Amino acid sequence: MLSEVKAVTLGVSDLQRACAFYENALGYRVQARGALHAGLAPLWRFDATLRGEYAVIAPDDSGLGRIRLVAFDAPGQQLWNADNLYNGSGYYALNFRCADALATMQAITAAGGSSAHEPSYWEVSEQVAVRDSINDDPDGVRLDVFSYERGGELRGPLDTDVSVVQTIALATRDVARSVAFYKALGFEVLFDRVLDFPELQTLLGTDRPVRIHNVNLIKDGHIVPGRVEMFAYLDMQHLPDAPLRDVAVPPNIGILSATLLSDALDADVERLQQLGAQLIARDVLDVPGFGHCAIATLLGPDGEQLELLQPA
C-alpha cells in the first residue's frame, strides 16, 4: 500500500538562495543537507558525472509534505515557459495553506519571489471559500498559497503560519485518465469542477480568459497533506501535446518528482506497471531525507516521476 505524497523534489539553481527563500517566505527550515551520490543517477535520470547537493526543508517535524531541494554545479533550464503553458503536461505547482494569503504573498515577494496580483476570492464549494494567490519562487517554481475565508475547520487546524505541502498540482491533457490512475493508488476525489469564474484569468496570470477542469484527490479520503491535484486547460485541444517527461530531470529547474512510501514495494511496483506506469530503475541505497531504503522510480500517465520508498 502506498502513502500520500510525503515529499516533492524541486530542482533549483542555487541551493543556498533557495533555502534562504523558503525559510524567509514560508518558514521552512533545513532538516537535512548533503551531497548527492552517483547511485541516484539512474533512478533520477541524471548524468552521474554531475556534482549535486540537496537540502530537505519543512515547517515542522511531522514528516509530512516536505520539500527536497536539489542543485547541481551546472544548472539546467526551467521546465515551464510561455510555449508550453497551455499544453504542457507534468508537475506544475505546489499548494500551501496559510493563515493569511496576503501576508504570505508579501513575504514571498520580500524574500525574492514574485506575484502577479493580490489574493483572489473564490468559492471551492458551498461549504468552502478561499483567498488564493499564485506566486513564483526565485527560480520560477509556482507556489499557490491560500487561506480559508469559510470552511477551514473541515481541513483541521493549521499549526504553523504556512502548512506543509498540501497538494502537488499536475497539468494533464487527459483528466479522466489521470484521475483513474491516482484513484487506483487509493486517492479519492475531494472535488471535481470546471472553473470559469471571472477572476480566474487574474488568479492564474494567463494572457487570455481561460476555463480549467480541476480535480483534487485526497489519500484514503481523509489525509489532508500530500494530496494530488490535476487540471487541464479547456478549449486548447488544437495545441499539440508538450509533455515535460524528458526534461523534468536534474539539473533542470522545477518540480521533478513526488515521493510516496510503500509497505510492499514489489507489489506496488507491479501494480503501478499494470496501471500503465513505466519503471525507470530500482535499487537499495541511502535516499536523501529518508535514510536507507529500497527505492523504485516510475513514470506516471503524464510522464510525471514517482519515487516509491520502502525503508530497508
Side-chain angles (χ1 to χ4, degrees), residues 30-92:
V30 174
Q31 295 186 329
R33 186 167 180 170
L36 294 170
H37 55 84
L40 292 166
L43 293 152
W44 289 5
R45 300 183 293 156
F46 68 87
D47 183 347
T49 65
L50 292 175
R51 292 180 301 167
E53 54 182 340
Y54 76 91
V56 176
I57 60 174
D60 60 28
D61 297 321
S62 67
L64 303 173
R66 298 188 295 168
I67 296 174
R68 181 169 56 199
L69 305 170
V70 298
F72 288 78
D73 49 0
Q77 68 188 61
Q78 288 188 345
L79 300 183
W80 288 95
N81 55 61
D83 293 332
N84 61 15
L85 175 62
Y86 297 112
N87 58 340
S89 55
Y91 294 127
Y92 178 75

Side-chain angles (χ1 to χ4, degrees), residues 5 7-10 45 79-80 84 88-94 140-142 167-172 181-182 185 227-231 242-245 247-249 253-260 298-308:
V5 175
V8 296
T9 297
L10 304 186
R45 300 183 293 156
L79 300 183
W80 288 95
N84 61 15
S89 55
Y91 294 127
Y92 178 75
L94 302 180
V141 177
R142 187 127 293 184
T167 69
I168 182 169
L170 179 66
T172 178
F181 178 82
Y182 284 95
L185 303 188
R227 304 195 303 274
V228 177
E229 177 181 0
M230 57 270 309
F231 76 95
L244 300 185
R245 168 187 171 136
V247 295
V249 296
I253 309 302
I255 305 172
L256 302 180
S257 68
T259 300
L260 297 82
L298 303 97
L299 295 172
D302 290 288
E304 73 276 22
Q305 183 158 319
L306 298 168
E307 178 181 84
L308 310 186

Side-chain angles (χ1 to χ4, degrees), residues 144-177:
D144 181 347
V145 302
F146 72 94
S147 53
Y148 283 107
E149 293 285 303
R150 183 174 73 243
E153 69 280 357
L154 299 174
R155 303 289 177 261
L158 178 65
D159 297 323
T160 52
D161 287 339
V162 180
S163 72
V164 300
V165 175
Q166 295 286 289
T167 69
I168 182 169
L170 179 66
T172 178
R173 301 282 276 175
D174 190 336
V175 172
R177 179 192 61 189

Side-chain angles (χ1 to χ4, degrees), residues 283-295:
D283 208 334
V284 180
L285 43 69
D286 288 333
V287 179
F290 289 92
H292 200 61
C293 294
I295 175 174

